[in-house]
Amino acid sequence: MCGIIGFVGRQEAAPILLDGLAQMEYRGYDSAGIAVRGPEKGLQVMKSKGRLQALSDLTHQGADLTGPLGIGHTRWATHGEPNDVNAHPHVSENGKIALVHNGIIENYLEIKEQLMNHGVTFTSDTDSEVVAQLLEYHYNECGSMTEAVGRCLRRIEGAYALGIICADYPNAIIAARKDAPLILGFGENENFIASDVTAILKHTRDVIYMNDGEIAVLTADSIDVFDDELTPLNREHSYVDWDAEAAEKGGYPHFMFKEILEQPEAIRKTVSPRVRGGRVVLDDIALTADYARRISRIYMIACGSAYYAGMVEKYVWETLLRRPVEVVLASEFRYCQPLVDENTFVIAISQSGETLDTMAALREAKRLGGRTLAVCNVVGSSIAREADDVLYTWAGPEIAVATSKGYSTQLAALDLVGLYLADLLGTVEKAEYDAILTELQALPDKMQQYLEHYEETQYYASRYFNHNSIFFIGRNLDFAMGLEGSLKLKEISYIHSEAYASGELKHGTISLIEPGTLVVALGTHAPLFDKAMSNVVEVKARGATVLAVTTDSLRESMEKTADAVISIPETHQLLQPSLGIVPLQLFAYYVALQRGCDIDKPRNLAKSVTVE
Ligand code: G6P
């Protein structure tokens, strides 16, 4: 969703701002803008609807705006349609204050009305402009920008990350945060703000993750952080060890394709450091055997693909732990009066660590007294910092909107926690524990084995890309995996697609199967293979075309009935979805490619959804 970048230093700000915005393009946006403050031209603002290229052309690659200080923004419309006027930065009426904002100001209508009664004229439909005008109002009142920011923050409700510049302050950017991520980056004779670390990775790895309620003042030589009463704070720095190249396409046609191919390495990074002496060792989490024994209920809360990772892990954990696991959509969890007490273990799964619904659900779980664990990829993200414990997936930056390595490392991380708890609780036989752990470590090689001959998946995509409606069917873990496979396909190819538990077909969905309907039949879960085959026969009898995904050893049986078969190497049955998902990701990718879709930035979608 929206992206923020800010720069103050000794070089021209505009090209740095445009480049920072380009690094965040993947988040999804519909307009962009920059504001620069310079000694000759004062405060200059340019914005444009559409892709960043339009802004770059408009500003002659930034050359039209001069000065060593500025802010930039990519907007994903919430309040007001995507157009030039609603794009950020927003400028206050007297033209002195420019501001970029991520989040939503919930009481903006009330403030807007009040300001209009004072004669303020608004130009946009956004909630964000209200903050710019309110700042001007308080600045006129008190004459100090930091004080005006403090007063303004006490008045506004909702979520915000703010970057502010003022014509009267030629050397400073002011930043503030509540419930929306904002990072302070320390460079040499230059400093940065960014909503996303990838935007500043080229310049610095020395950062502070701002906390809620904090305000920061940046100049080229210093960053001062204050609490909401403007008392100075001494904040700890963090070091970002992401590889800058990992956030570049590096010759691949799409980030999604690159990230699919990166999965073996990503899973290795998730798993290897956490296995020692044949055991899972989770130094990162402080969960004791005593607490583990008291767990009576487990919730996994998440959105999108992370929710589907939870669906897979429900099967895995219930098998390993013999405890009930409920997977709940974060957007539902927060309003469903969940049954949480101190013996409830709540796992928030989020690649970005910033998904607002997941964050709110996590807070609700904590409020009710549950113990929380975050499974996140982005170090220092809000969810990671608020949970009692965090297990990072260490997948490296994921840029494509549709997740691949984010999802598969969530599976691996949750497999590790499941094994760890099973070990503490003694709910799994040693031989079984060893077998699963050995296979978990072998996953990267087996995945690589499949990736060496994925052309058959590419071929089937070219054969079936023109279907308008596709069904994924499977049982047990195959059903859970099908949910993610179907989501991938619809997200990036815009084909209507649904995933069903095969056993449910005859209770409704089978009426949708007609001659030529494409059914992706998942038959990788060996214990239920025969039942999966019966369902293939059922849909074939109604004229469906069946593309099956199974394991190498079951391929021959599947070929007797399905029209086309893709096979993957065998692993422990609980881990099979980690391999089975790869052909489904590639199938979605190649179908979308054939249909000419914007694979890395599908329409209407955003990488991290920071609004409810
Ligand atoms: C968005 C993304 C999905 C992702 C979901 C949850 O919808 O497009 O790929 O699965 O958010 O994101 P999270 O960062 O919380 O895992």
Side-chain angles (χ1 to χ4, degrees), residues 303-306 349-353 355 401 403 410 491 606-607 609:
C303 303
S305 295
I349 314 166
S350 175
Q351 186 282 130
S352 63
T355 302
V401 165
T403 179
Q410 282 164 353
E491 274 181 315
K607 182 71 183 160
V609 180

Side-chain angles (χ1 to χ4, degrees), residues 27 301-308 349-356 358-359 375-378 383 398 400-404 406-407 410 484 487-488 491 602 605-609:
R27 293 168 65 100
I301 48 177
C303 303
S305 295
Y307 170 70
Y308 291 145
I349 314 166
S350 175
Q351 186 282 130
S352 63
E354 301 294 350
T355 302
L356 191 84
T358 311
M359 180 67 178
V375 172
C376 289
N377 187 37
V378 178
I383 292 171
E398 188 178 65
V401 165
T403 179
S404 54
Y407 167 85
Q410 282 164 353
E484 171 62 5
L487 178 65
K488 282 290 81 80
E491 274 181 315
L605 296 180
K607 182 71 183 160
S608 77
V609 180

Side-chain angles (χ1 to χ4, degrees), residues 298-302 310 313-314 317 325-328 347 349 414:
I298 297 168
Y299 278 113
M300 293 185 183
I301 48 177
E313 294 301 320
K314 171 187 167 70
W317 282 36
V325 178
E326 267 192 73
V327 192
V328 187
I347 297 107
I349 314 166
L414 288 163

Side-chain angles (χ1 to χ4, degrees), residues 244-309:
E245 275 174 24
E248 303 281 344
K249 244 187 256 172
Y252 290 93
H254 296 95
F255 279 111
M256 183 175 180
F257 187 59
K258 174 175 178 254
E259 288 159 8
I260 289 172
L261 300 186
E262 280 172 354
Q263 289 180 109
E265 192 48 30
I267 292 176
R268 198 170 281 124
K269 284 188 178 147
T270 311
V271 174
S272 301
R274 288 155 171 152
V275 181
R276 267 175 260 149
R279 287 208 119 75
V280 177
V281 182
L282 298 183
D283 295 328
D284 352 30
I285 67 178
L287 212 140
T288 61
D290 182 46
Y291 179 76
R293 276 189 289 275
R294 281 192 281 120
I295 296 173
S296 58
R297 179 189 286 268
I298 297 168
Y299 278 113
M300 293 185 183
I301 48 177
C303 303
S305 295
Y307 170 70
Y308 291 145

Side-chain angles (χ1 to χ4, degrees), residues 431-443:
E432 180 70 346
Y433 177 95
D434 290 347
I436 301 171
L437 189 53
T438 307
E439 284 300 317
L440 188 57
Q441 291 172 281
L443 269 184

